[in-house]
Amino acid sequence: LLAAPGEYTVKLEVGDTEFTQTLVVLKDPNSAGSNADIREQFTVLSALRDDANAVVDLINEIESTRAQIYDRVDRAQATAGAEAVSAAADELDRALIDLEMNLTDVRLSGGMAGQDRLRWPRQLYAKVTSLAGYIGGSDFPPTTQQLTVHDKYQNLLSGYQSTMRTLRDQEVAAFNSLLSENGIPVIMTGPARDLSSDH
């Protein structure tokens, strides 16, 4: 994300010593966009960057949660509740996959030929980053249509975040109760936790 034209303060800390320097970012003289245009564009691109990071946070949380589920199923094999844990794990895993498929297609293989992008529609992460690419392709403010699409993507993201909260509060909580009943460490989930922990 390129900084918009303006005056900035750069700070460098070396040990206990702090250095500051003012610098001015100038607009490309070949650009037809005004400083106001570029600032408006920068504001939207910053929001899209935050949206993309939020989508990635959700994907990472889902993947970490799913990995923990598989681990707990393995641990449950030596317990009397193995069958119940396995059944509950399958149901929770399906719910997480259903949510993740709205964020990024888990079927993508990353093959060099790129056929995956032709087989299946793009999901939210690809849509957000693609919109950022279109908006950032010039020094003009986003169009009304682009802002409308951005609003749509933000609403989708908010809905998916809400779905994840519900999964944490209900399905994951129920699964953890079952794990506890069988003496198995619960799974940890949440956007700001160490999800690899067994605490």
Side-chain angles (χ1 to χ4, degrees):
L1 182 59
L2 298 177
E7 185 174 294
Y8 296 86
T9 299
V10 180
K11 181 185 296 184
L12 173 66
E13 294 183 1
V14 181
D16 295 329
T17 305
E18 180 178 291
F19 303 91
T20 59
Q21 176 69 51
T22 299
L23 63 83
V24 177
V25 175
L26 301 176
K27 184 173 73 72
D28 182 347
N30 297 311
S31 170
S34 68
N35 284 354
D37 290 340
I38 298 172
R39 284 194 295 271
E40 185 177 347
Q41 179 198 71
F42 178 81
T43 297
V44 176
L45 288 175
S46 297
L48 283 165
R49 176 200 58 200
D50 293 343
D51 294 342
N53 287 338
V55 174
V56 170
D57 286 344
L58 269 180
I59 293 170
N60 287 341
E61 180 180 356
I62 291 169
E63 285 296 313
S64 175
T65 303
R66 292 181 62 209
Q68 292 177 80
I69 290 170
Y70 304 153
D71 173 76
R72 299 321 189 262
V73 170
D74 289 341
R75 297 188 189 204
Q77 295 309 305
T79 72
E83 186 173 338
V85 170
S86 180
D90 286 343
E91 185 175 348
L92 177 55
D93 191 42
R94 282 194 299 270
L96 290 166
I97 290 174
D98 287 344
L99 174 56
E100 188 173 8
M101 283 291 288
N102 293 298
L103 307 171
T104 186
D105 199 317
V106 298
R107 297 169 296 185
L108 296 176
S109 63
M112 292 181 62
Q115 295 97 334
D116 288 348
R117 291 190 293 272
L118 300 176
R119 292 190 184 106
W120 301 303
R122 307 179 92 191
Q123 302 305 327
L124 186 58
Y125 179 77
K127 291 176 179 179
V128 168
T129 55
S130 179
L131 179 60
Y134 287 124
I135 292 175
S138 69
D139 282 341
F140 298 106
T143 65
T144 300
Q145 293 84 352
Q146 288 170 331
L147 293 175
T148 298
V149 172
H150 183 210
D151 286 342
K152 176 183 176 181
Y153 291 166
Q154 287 191 315
N155 288 334
L156 287 172
L157 174 58
S158 179
Y160 298 144
Q161 289 172 323
S162 177
T163 298
M164 190 64 209
R165 284 193 295 271
T166 299
L167 284 171
R168 284 190 219 115
D169 295 341
Q170 298 180 12
E171 283 82 351
V172 172
F175 184 66
N176 278 340
S177 294
L178 181 60
L179 293 176
S180 294
E181 291 170 7
N182 289 276
I184 302 168
V186 299
I187 64 175
M188 300 296 291
T189 186
R193 299 183 185 180
D194 178 5
L195 301 180
S196 66
S197 172
D198 277 351
H199 300 304

